[in-house]
Amino acid sequence: MAFGYLVGGAAFYGGLGWLLDRWLGTSFLLPLGALFGIALAMYLVFKLYLHA
Amino acid sequence: MTVTGLVPVASETFEPPGPRDFDLPPVFGDSILFAKPALLLVLSAIVVLGFFLVTTRRMAMVPSKTQFAGEQAYGFVRNSIARDIIGTKDFLKFVPWLVATFFFILLNNLFGIIPFIQFPSFSRVSFAYGLAALVWLLYNGLGVYKHGFFGYLKHVTVPNGVTGPILVLIIPLEFFSTVIVRPATLALRLFANMFAGHLLLILFTLGGEYLLLESSNVGYKAVGVVAFLLAVAISFLELLVQFLQAYVFTLLTAMYIQGALAEEH
C-alpha cells in the first residue's frame, strides 16, 4: 500500500512535471515533480499509518 | 591468467539465456493460443477444478483422506486469507474467488519446477495483466456497487483524517495509486518473480551443461557440477517464491476487496 503511494506520487507528479517540461521547453520539472510526489506520498503514509 | 583464458575452449560459444527463451513456439498450428504457456493455463484450470471435484465428491462427516486434503486446502484460504482480511461479516461470498485464484496461481507457478513441464505460465506478462485486470474489475465494481459511483470516487480519493487545502494535491495522488498503480504492481510482482526465477534456473542449468560437456578444462567441469547443484538449491528457493507469490496475490486481492467494502478509508 505504502509502496503504491510512493510509485503513484512519483509517477503522477513526475508525469505532470514532464508535461510542463514539454510545454515550457525546460528539463528540471520532471525530477522536481517526482520528488514532490514522493514527499507528498510520504506525508500521506505517515498521516494514514502512524496513528493506526 | 589473461582475460581470454577465462573463456572455456569449446566448439561453439555459450549463448546466455534471455527473454527470448520465454517466446515459445506453438506446439501445433501457428496460433499463439497453442503455445506452451497458454496450454499450461488450460491444464492448470482442469487440474485445480479436478482436484476440488474429486475431493468433494463423496462428502462425509468423517472425511476420507482425499476429502481431508481438499478441506485443508480450502480451509487455508478461507480462514487465513479471506476471513482474516475481509472480516467475518462479508468474507464468505468471496471465498470461491480467492480459493480459485490462489490454487490457479499456485499450480501455474509450480509448473516452473515440475519436471518435464518446467515453465511458470505467469512468466508471460500478459497472463499476469489479465489476472490483475480481473481483480481490478472486482474491487472497483464492488466499491461502485457498495458506495455508488461518486461515493466510491470520494471513498478512493479522499483519505480519512486528511483535511484542508492539501487535499487538492492528495486527491490525484490517491486516485493514481489506487486505480492505476495498484493493478500494475499486482501484475508485475507476480510476473517479475516468475520471470526472474525461471531465468535463474535456465542460466544455472544451461551454464552447468555447457561447462560440463562443452569445455575441455577439468576445472570448468567441476564448476559445471557446482552450477547443477546450485540449480537444485535454487529450485527449492523457487518453491518458496512460487508459494509466496500465489499467497501474496490472493492476500492483496482480499485486501483490495476489504478496502472497497470498508465504511471508511
Side-chain angles (χ1 to χ4, degrees), chain A residues 4-9, chain B residues 172-183:
Chain A
Y5 283 134
L6 290 173
V7 174
Chain B
L173 194 165
E174 277 274 1
F175 181 82
F176 205 72
S177 64
T178 311
V179 178
I180 295 165
V181 173
R182 207 182 245 188

Side-chain angles (χ1 to χ4, degrees), chain B residues 3 18 27 38 79 82-84 102 122 138-139 169 175 183 195 222 259:
Chain B
V3 176
V27 177
N79 297 335
R83 194 175 59 191
D84 282 7
F102 178 76
F122 288 108
L138 173 71
Y139 75 79
L169 298 172
F175 181 82
F195 183 86

Side-chain angles (χ1 to χ4, degrees), chain A residues 1 3-13 36-44 47-48 51, chain B residues 159-163 166 168-174 176-178 181-182 185 189 252 255-256 265:
Chain A
M1 297 281 176
F3 178 72
Y5 283 134
L6 290 173
V7 174
F12 182 78
Y13 286 100
F36 177 72
I38 291 172
L40 208 62
M42 285 171 81
Y43 163 79
L44 193 61
K47 187 94 183 167
L48 288 178
H51 65 91
Chain B
N160 215 31
V162 179
T163 47
I166 199 161
V168 178
L169 298 172
I170 294 289
I171 284 172
L173 194 165
E174 277 274 1
F176 205 72
S177 64
T178 311
V181 173
R182 207 182 245 188
T185 52
R189 180 184 302 108
L252 284 171
M255 285 172 80
Y256 298 159
H265 190 65

Side-chain angles (χ1 to χ4, degrees), chain B residues 146-159:
Chain B
K146 166 113 182 173
H147 303 280
F149 183 75
F150 290 103
Y152 179 62
L153 217 54
K154 182 173 180 294
H155 178 75
V156 162
T157 53
V158 183

